[in-house]
Amino acid sequence: MPNEDKESLLKGYKELILKGEVRALSIDSSTFRTYGCRLESGVLRQLGQFRGSAINLVVSDVVRSEVIRYLADLLAEVKRDVDGALNRAIDHWRYDQRAAAEVKEKIFKGDEPAALAQTRFATFEEEAGVSIVEADNSVKISELMQRYFKELPPFSAVGKKKYEFPDAVALMALEAWAITHETKAIVCSTDNDWKSFCKQSPSLLHVEDLGDALGLFQLEEAKDICKHLSQRYKIGELGDLSDSIDEALDAELDATEFYPEASSSFGFRLDYSFVPSRGTFTLEPIDSEGSLFQPINFDGSELVVVASMEVMVTIESIFQFNTYDSVDREEISLGSGSCAVETPLSLRVVITLSGNLQSIGGEVDVEEVEVSLESSTSFECGEIEPDWLTQE
C-alpha cells in the first residue's frame, strides 16, 4: 500500500538530485540478497544505466566481499542440489553415469563456485561501471572504536555488536567518499543498522527499496508515462502486457521450490511441492496517485518499470512416510500423503516496454517480463499423515 511518509521523503530526495546535490548511488549486501544476487537480470541489471553518467555507482569493498561470499555459497548450494538429483537419477532411474557426468560438464563447465562468483561480480562491476570504495585509506580505527564504545549506529546496546564491524567500516568509508567528492549519496539497504547510520549522516540518504532508488534518477517524463500506462492497464487496454505477466508468473511458480513446515506422529520426508492452481494476480498501487508502475530506467525509446504483484495460490506437498521396525532394525514404508494449503504470495515484476510510449494512447510493445518471488518459500502445513489413514 502507498506510504505518504515515504512519498514525502522520496520527493525531498528527488529535489536534491535535480539540484545536483546528490550525484551517487550505493547499495549494500542486503539489497543484493533481496534480488537473489541475479546480477545479470531483473532490477540489478538496470544499474548499468549509470555507467558513463554523472551519477556515480559506488560499492564498498566490504560489501563486494560479502556479496561474492554469498554468491559463492549460493552457487555451491545449487551445485550440491544438481549433484544430488543426478545421483538419485542414477540410483533410481538407472540413469547412465557417463550421461550424468556429461550433464554436469554442460552445466558447470568445470567452474568452481568461488571462482565463478568472483568472475560474475567482476563482470557486473565492469558493465555497471561500479566504483569500489576502499576502506583502507578512509576509515580511522580511532573513530571506528569510538562508535563501538559509544554504541553509535550501526552499533547498538543490544545484540552481538562485533557483527556490526563490517557494516561500520563500509558506512564510514562511504561517508568519507561522499565528503571527499562533495556530494550526497543515496544508500539503498534493507538493514535497519544502515538506516540508523544514514539517519544521523549529513551525506548519506537512506532508501529501502532499489526500485524506489532507481526511480529517483528518472526524469518526470518517465513517471508521467507510467501514470498513463497505469490508467490504460486498469481499463484493459494493455492485454498483451497482462498475458505476458501471466506467462512469467506461471514460469516463476513452476521454478520455485516451496518448503512446507509440518509435523506428524510418523517419520516423514518431503517428496516434492507444486502449485496446482492460482487465482488472478493483481498489481498493487505504488503511490497515493494509484500508479502501478515505477520507472527504473528510461532512455527515450525503451522503458523499464517495476511493479508489485499479489496472487493467491494453492501449494500441494507430497510426503513419504515411514516407521522403524525395532525387531528387524529397518525402516518400513507407510506410503505417501499430501496436504494442500492456500496462501497469498507477493512478487516483484520487472517489465521492459518499447513502442510509441510518449504519445497518449500510443502503441506499446512488451519486450520482456521477469517475475521474482518476494514472499518466503516456507509455509505452515500443520499435522500430516499417510493418505490410507483417511481413506474409507
PDB file of all heavy atoms in Angstrom, residues 275-288:
ATOM      1  N   VAL A 275       2.501 -26.055  -7.369  1.00  0.00           N
ATOM      2  CA  VAL A 275       1.345 -25.158  -7.345  1.00  0.00           C
ATOM      3  C   VAL A 275       0.348 -25.648  -8.398  1.00  0.00           C
ATOM      4  O   VAL A 275       0.529 -25.373  -9.591  1.00  0.00           O
ATOM      5  CB  VAL A 275       1.756 -23.695  -7.624  1.00  0.00           C
ATOM      6  CG1 VAL A 275       0.528 -22.778  -7.648  1.00  0.00           C
ATOM      7  CG2 VAL A 275       2.754 -23.216  -6.569  1.00  0.00           C
ATOM      8  N   PRO A 276      -0.711 -26.373  -7.990  1.00  0.00           N
ATOM      9  CA  PRO A 276      -1.677 -26.888  -8.963  1.00  0.00           C
ATOM     10  C   PRO A 276      -2.638 -25.829  -9.488  1.00  0.00           C
ATOM     11  O   PRO A 276      -3.202 -25.973 -10.578  1.00  0.00           O
ATOM     12  CB  PRO A 276      -2.427 -27.961  -8.185  1.00  0.00           C
ATOM     13  CG  PRO A 276      -2.349 -27.512  -6.762  1.00  0.00           C
ATOM     14  CD  PRO A 276      -1.010 -26.853  -6.623  1.00  0.00           C
ATOM     15  N   SER A 277      -2.837 -24.765  -8.703  1.00  0.00           N
ATOM     16  CA  SER A 277      -3.777 -23.726  -9.138  1.00  0.00           C
ATOM     17  C   SER A 277      -3.444 -22.400  -8.470  1.00  0.00           C
ATOM     18  O   SER A 277      -2.791 -22.358  -7.428  1.00  0.00           O
ATOM     19  CB  SER A 277      -5.224 -24.129  -8.801  1.00  0.00           C
ATOM     20  OG  SER A 277      -5.386 -24.253  -7.391  1.00  0.00           O
ATOM     21  N   ARG A 278      -3.887 -21.345  -9.091  1.00  0.00           N
ATOM     22  CA  ARG A 278      -3.709 -19.993  -8.533  1.00  0.00           C
ATOM     23  C   ARG A 278      -4.857 -19.111  -8.964  1.00  0.00           C
ATOM     24  O   ARG A 278      -5.580 -19.401  -9.919  1.00  0.00           O
ATOM     25  CB  ARG A 278      -2.387 -19.378  -8.999  1.00  0.00           C
ATOM     26  CG  ARG A 278      -2.306 -19.109 -10.497  1.00  0.00           C
ATOM     27  CD  ARG A 278      -1.082 -18.262 -10.821  1.00  0.00           C
ATOM     28  NE  ARG A 278      -0.892 -18.064 -12.250  1.00  0.00           N
ATOM     29  CZ  ARG A 278      -1.483 -17.097 -12.962  1.00  0.00           C
ATOM     30  NH1 ARG A 278      -2.327 -16.251 -12.372  1.00  0.00           N
ATOM     31  NH2 ARG A 278      -1.231 -16.971 -14.258  1.00  0.00           N
ATOM     32  N   GLY A 279      -5.003 -18.013  -8.244  1.00  0.00           N
ATOM     33  CA  GLY A 279      -6.026 -17.049  -8.612  1.00  0.00           C
ATOM     34  C   GLY A 279      -5.488 -16.048  -9.624  1.00  0.00           C
ATOM     35  O   GLY A 279      -4.366 -16.168 -10.120  1.00  0.00           O
ATOM     36  N   THR A 280      -6.291 -15.051  -9.912  1.00  0.00           N
ATOM     37  CA  THR A 280      -5.874 -13.976 -10.811  1.00  0.00           C
ATOM     38  C   THR A 280      -4.978 -13.007 -10.051  1.00  0.00           C
ATOM     39  O   THR A 280      -5.297 -12.597  -8.929  1.00  0.00           O
ATOM     40  CB  THR A 280      -7.108 -13.223 -11.347  1.00  0.00           C
ATOM     41  OG1 THR A 280      -7.964 -14.150 -12.018  1.00  0.00           O
ATOM     42  CG2 THR A 280      -6.689 -12.120 -12.312  1.00  0.00           C
ATOM     43  N   PHE A 281      -3.858 -12.650 -10.633  1.00  0.00           N
ATOM     44  CA  PHE A 281      -2.938 -11.731  -9.961  1.00  0.00           C
ATOM     45  C   PHE A 281      -3.480 -10.304  -9.984  1.00  0.00           C
ATOM     46  O   PHE A 281      -4.287  -9.936 -10.845  1.00  0.00           O
ATOM     47  CB  PHE A 281      -1.554 -11.774 -10.603  1.00  0.00           C
ATOM     48  CG  PHE A 281      -1.479 -11.135 -11.968  1.00  0.00           C
ATOM     49  CD1 PHE A 281      -1.313  -9.759 -12.115  1.00  0.00           C
ATOM     50  CD2 PHE A 281      -1.571 -11.914 -13.121  1.00  0.00           C
ATOM     51  CE1 PHE A 281      -1.246  -9.173 -13.366  1.00  0.00           C
ATOM     52  CE2 PHE A 281      -1.503 -11.333 -14.379  1.00  0.00           C
ATOM     53  CZ  PHE A 281      -1.343  -9.959 -14.505  1.00  0.00           C
ATOM     54  N   THR A 282      -3.027  -9.502  -9.035  1.00  0.00           N
ATOM     55  CA  THR A 282      -3.351  -8.073  -9.010  1.00  0.00           C
ATOM     56  C   THR A 282      -2.056  -7.283  -8.850  1.00  0.00           C
ATOM     57  O   THR A 282      -1.147  -7.699  -8.119  1.00  0.00           O
ATOM     58  CB  THR A 282      -4.300  -7.719  -7.853  1.00  0.00           C
ATOM     59  OG1 THR A 282      -3.711  -8.113  -6.596  1.00  0.00           O
ATOM     60  CG2 THR A 282      -5.644  -8.422  -8.019  1.00  0.00           C
ATOM     61  N   LEU A 283      -1.963  -6.165  -9.548  1.00  0.00           N
ATOM     62  CA  LEU A 283      -0.843  -5.252  -9.379  1.00  0.00           C
ATOM     63  C   LEU A 283      -1.232  -4.210  -8.348  1.00  0.00           C
ATOM     64  O   LEU A 283      -2.325  -3.625  -8.406  1.00  0.00           O
ATOM     65  CB  LEU A 283      -0.490  -4.582 -10.709  1.00  0.00           C
ATOM     66  CG  LEU A 283      -0.028  -5.514 -11.836  1.00  0.00           C
ATOM     67  CD1 LEU A 283       0.374  -4.702 -13.066  1.00  0.00           C
ATOM     68  CD2 LEU A 283       1.123  -6.407 -11.389  1.00  0.00           C
ATOM     69  N   GLU A 284      -0.353  -3.967  -7.389  1.00  0.00           N
ATOM     70  CA  GLU A 284      -0.639  -3.079  -6.273  1.00  0.00           C
ATOM     71  C   GLU A 284      -0.189  -1.646  -6.577  1.00  0.00           C
ATOM     72  O   GLU A 284       0.882  -1.446  -7.169  1.00  0.00           O
ATOM     73  CB  GLU A 284       0.066  -3.568  -5.011  1.00  0.00           C
ATOM     74  CG  GLU A 284      -0.361  -4.962  -4.564  1.00  0.00           C
ATOM     75  CD  GLU A 284      -1.818  -5.001  -4.162  1.00  0.00           C
ATOM     76  OE1 GLU A 284      -2.236  -4.174  -3.332  1.00  0.00           O
ATOM     77  OE2 GLU A 284      -2.548  -5.858  -4.688  1.00  0.00           O
ATOM     78  N   PRO A 285      -0.973  -0.628  -6.175  1.00  0.00           N
ATOM     79  CA  PRO A 285      -0.549   0.775  -6.362  1.00  0.00           C
ATOM     80  C   PRO A 285       0.749   1.055  -5.623  1.00  0.00           C
ATOM     81  O   PRO A 285       0.963   0.541  -4.523  1.00  0.00           O
ATOM     82  CB  PRO A 285      -1.712   1.572  -5.760  1.00  0.00           C
ATOM     83  CG  PRO A 285      -2.880   0.645  -5.770  1.00  0.00           C
ATOM     84  CD  PRO A 285      -2.306  -0.719  -5.552  1.00  0.00           C
ATOM     85  N   ILE A 286       1.603   1.863  -6.219  1.00  0.00           N
ATOM     86  CA  ILE A 286       2.892   2.171  -5.596  1.00  0.00           C
ATOM     87  C   ILE A 286       2.901   3.544  -4.940  1.00  0.00           C
ATOM     88  O   ILE A 286       3.840   3.873  -4.213  1.00  0.00           O
ATOM     89  CB  ILE A 286       4.031   2.100  -6.627  1.00  0.00           C
ATOM     90  CG1 ILE A 286       3.829   3.147  -7.731  1.00  0.00           C
ATOM     91  CG2 ILE A 286       4.150   0.699  -7.208  1.00  0.00           C
ATOM     92  CD1 ILE A 286       5.044   3.340  -8.601  1.00  0.00           C
ATOM     93  N   ASP A 287       1.870   4.366  -5.219  1.00  0.00           N
ATOM     94  CA  ASP A 287       1.824   5.700  -4.625  1.00  0.00           C
ATOM     95  C   ASP A 287       0.375   6.121  -4.411  1.00  0.00           C
ATOM     96  O   ASP A 287      -0.565   5.399  -4.773  1.00  0.00           O
ATOM     97  CB  ASP A 287       2.575   6.725  -5.494  1.00  0.00           C
ATOM     98  CG  ASP A 287       2.029   6.801  -6.922  1.00  0.00           C
ATOM     99  OD1 ASP A 287       0.819   6.557  -7.124  1.00  0.00           O
ATOM    100  OD2 ASP A 287       2.802   7.114  -7.834  1.00  0.00           O
ATOM    101  N   SER A 288       0.201   7.272  -3.807  1.00  0.00           N
ATOM    102  CA  SER A 288      -1.141   7.757  -3.476  1.00  0.00           C
ATOM    103  C   SER A 288      -1.945   8.142  -4.713  1.00  0.00           C
ATOM    104  O   SER A 288      -3.159   8.317  -4.631  1.00  0.00           O
ATOM    105  CB  SER A 288      -1.035   8.975  -2.536  1.00  0.00           C
ATOM    106  OG  SER A 288      -0.249   9.999  -3.122  1.00  0.00           O
TER     107      SER A 288
END
